[in-house]
Amino acid sequence: MLETLRQVCLAFRIADDLVSYDELKAGNINRTYKVNTVKPDGSLKSYIIQKVNTYVFKHPDWVMENIDHVTEHIRAKKREKIALHFHHTSEGKTYMIDDNGFWRLFNYIESDTFNVTTDPDVIRNAGEAFGEFQMQLADFDASELFVTIPDFHDTRKRYEKLEADVLADPCGMVAEVKEEVDWLLSVKDCACQLTDLFRAGEIPLRVTHNDTKINNVLFDKKDKSALVVIDLDTVMPGLVGSDFGDAIRFAANFVEEDSPEAEKAGINLEVFEAFADGFLKCTAKSLTAKEIETLPLSCFVLAAELSTRFLDDYILGSPYFKTNYPEHNLVRTRCQIALAKDMLAKMDIMEQIVKECVKKYA
Ligand code: GN1
Ligand code: MG
């Protein structure tokens, strides 16, 4: 691997000697490596190299063009902000393709990241960062963006795919997951409400991040302020509820996304409140009343939608999400379902919290 990464560095015109690397395991799609080089004066400098998953991203060059566009747009507004800086090859490209795959390289930003935290300041800062991100893109012309994964948060299409794959049952796994399939189908219409409202023209399309896990925000090591929103691979036209809901289903769960202790999964309302407060501080004035109304429900929607995705992947033999063991996607499904159930039970309180935040900021 070291030699492969060394070749990638060279392609991106980094001449300093690569001495070591670590694989960073947070993402479920791309492979991410922190590589450490030594400069001629003896000092160390690190970069991030990613191998983009081309099973998931069929047009990784489109992904890179989108990122370029969006980053430029944000940088023009906030010159002083830290940004991911992608390095170029000698041909002026932000990616390179070799026999091993599709590679990109960017600067390493010294920072903290969190998979699980209940620190209300960190959570509020994450809410602000994602809310601000969306507001910065409010005047971005969505037609300039490639759709890198079609129907990414179209919950009805996600369900249709699950139902088709349950029928086909290519790996003979469906009998084992009957309970999960049945429960997901029993909440289908509720889970598809965001998609239905969009199709009915009741909520607008915006430019959204679409993958708002809290570990996609880098935080200052000292004061825990948000430095930058990363992982712009799925920036596409989308719904505000998808960003809000996805962030909550990840950050506000009592346990990690792939915890085998599904019975402990559920929504931490203090985390919910802190994130909602930060997010609405930045967005309450700009969102429509209908969009705001969808926010609490969108958390359930995103948890149910991701349950269908994990389960579908499990049924197909896990070609999409990275897994560490054969049952990994089933474990993720069960944990997400338990979270979704708890959200339904607490929907009234979530609605109340959003109302209070809106009163404060709108
Ligand atoms: C994937 O790669 P990562 O971890 O940022 C997935 C998201 C899921 C998430 C679940 C392109 O995100 O949609 O919500 O896993 N990204 C893609 O952990 O499918
Ligand atoms: Mg991602």
Side-chain angles (χ1 to χ4, degrees):
M1 197 64 215
L2 193 69
E3 197 40 45
T4 304
L5 295 173
R6 196 167 270 149
Q7 292 307 320
V8 175
C9 281
L10 284 175
F12 287 101
R13 298 180 296 174
I14 288 162
D16 301 331
D17 193 29
L18 195 167
V19 287
S20 61
Y21 75 93
D22 306 291
E23 180 166 359
L24 309 182
K25 297 279 189 186
N28 287 332
I29 305 292
N30 300 322
R31 296 250 164 223
T32 305
Y33 304 90
K34 180 182 174 217
V35 299
N36 310 305
T37 66
V38 188
K39 297 208 272 193
D41 67 5
S43 63
L44 286 177
K45 186 163 169 65
S46 300
Y47 302 89
I48 297 288
I49 291 180
Q50 277 187 318
K51 184 175 163 191
V52 177
N53 183 328
T54 51
Y55 177 86
V56 169
F57 295 105
K58 307 287 183 210
H59 294 280
D61 50 330
W62 291 1
V63 171
M64 296 312 293
E65 262 197 60
N66 280 358
I67 293 176
D68 254 8
H69 254 87
V70 166
T71 316
E72 250 332 291
H73 187 87
I74 292 176
R75 210 180 282 151
K77 295 191 171 180
K78 286 225 144 195
R79 289 257 162 228
E80 78 282 13
K81 271 257 170 168
I82 291 177
L84 287 193
H85 166 68
F86 285 89
H87 286 240
H88 290 79
T89 64
S90 54
E91 288 145 18
K93 291 209 163 85
T94 52
Y95 57 87
M96 80 92 154
I97 301 167
D98 68 9
D99 295 344
N100 296 304
F102 185 104
W103 301 91
R104 61 190 179 196
L105 182 150
F106 48 94
N107 55 324
Y108 170 73
I109 298 173
E110 195 60 47
S111 55
D112 268 347
T113 52
F114 301 92
N115 283 324
V116 273
T117 175
T118 51
D119 180 338
D121 294 330
V122 170
I123 299 285
R124 192 173 289 102
N125 290 344
E128 274 188 44
F130 282 125
E132 197 189 350
F133 182 84
Q134 206 161 91
M135 290 301 107
Q136 285 166 339
L137 295 176
D139 60 345
F140 187 93
D141 177 4
S143 69
E144 281 187 33
L145 287 174
F146 290 108
V147 174
T148 52
I149 304 181
D151 306 317
F152 192 58
H153 284 308
D154 184 316
T155 317
R156 284 228 172 260
K157 293 228 168 115
R158 296 288 187 185
Y159 263 96
E160 283 161 17
K161 183 160 175 351
L162 174 66
E163 286 171 283
D165 292 334
V166 163
L167 275 183
D169 194 12
C171 306
M173 305 243 217
V174 170
E176 178 199 359
V177 297
K178 189 174 176 312
E179 200 183 320
E180 287 75 18
V181 172
D182 286 350
W183 187 80
L184 282 170
L185 290 179
S186 77
V187 295
K188 178 174 168 181
D189 280 331
C190 184
C192 291
Q193 281 186 75
L194 210 56
T195 301
D196 291 348
L197 283 170
F198 167 66
R199 290 186 185 181
E202 291 194 41
I203 45 176
L205 212 53
R206 298 176 176 272
V207 175
T208 46
H209 183 282
N210 294 310
D211 187 7
T212 46
K213 301 204 297 201
I214 194 178
N215 59 17
N216 281 331
V217 181
L218 304 186
F219 295 89
D220 185 283
K221 271 182 175 303
K222 286 202 201 88
D223 67 8
K224 303 288 179 268
S225 62
L227 296 173
V228 61
V229 170
I230 61 164
D231 189 358
L232 308 189
D233 293 346
T234 48
V235 173
M236 279 183 285
L239 305 175
V240 66
S242 302
D243 276 4
F244 183 81
D246 197 35
I248 292 296
R249 65 129 208 104
F250 187 79
N253 195 350
F254 286 118
V255 294
E256 288 204 54
E257 189 179 80
D258 63 352
S259 167
E261 296 180 298
E263 67 284 358
K264 293 192 182 152
I267 178 160
N268 181 334
L269 291 169
E270 280 161 28
V271 172
F272 177 81
E273 180 164 11
F275 187 90
D277 189 81
F279 190 82
L280 284 160
K281 182 178 166 195
C282 301
T283 57
K285 284 202 176 71
S286 313
L287 300 181
T288 69
K290 194 75 195 173
E291 280 178 305
I292 289 175
E293 201 185 301
T294 65
L295 294 182
L297 176 77
S298 71
C299 305
F300 165 75
V301 168
L302 269 284
E305 181 189 283
L306 187 59
S307 305
T308 70
R309 295 175 61 196
F310 284 148
L311 187 56
D312 182 53
D313 203 35
Y314 181 67
I315 288 172
L316 297 179
S318 300
Y320 188 99
F321 293 104
K322 272 195 247 166
T323 50
N324 300 335
Y325 54 96
E327 312 271 296
H328 205 161
N329 273 318
L330 180 56
V331 165
R332 288 170 172 148
T333 306
R334 289 183 173 147
C335 190
Q336 230 27 233
I337 286 180
L339 171 65
K341 285 181 180 168
D342 194 47
M343 286 170 167
L344 280 184
K346 292 178 182 158
M347 197 52 69
D348 289 351
I349 316 175
M350 291 158 70
E351 282 169 1
Q352 205 45 49
I353 292 172
V354 166
K355 279 196 189 127
E356 297 293 324
C357 293
V358 171
K359 227 190 274 167
K360 194 160 142 195
Y361 296 118

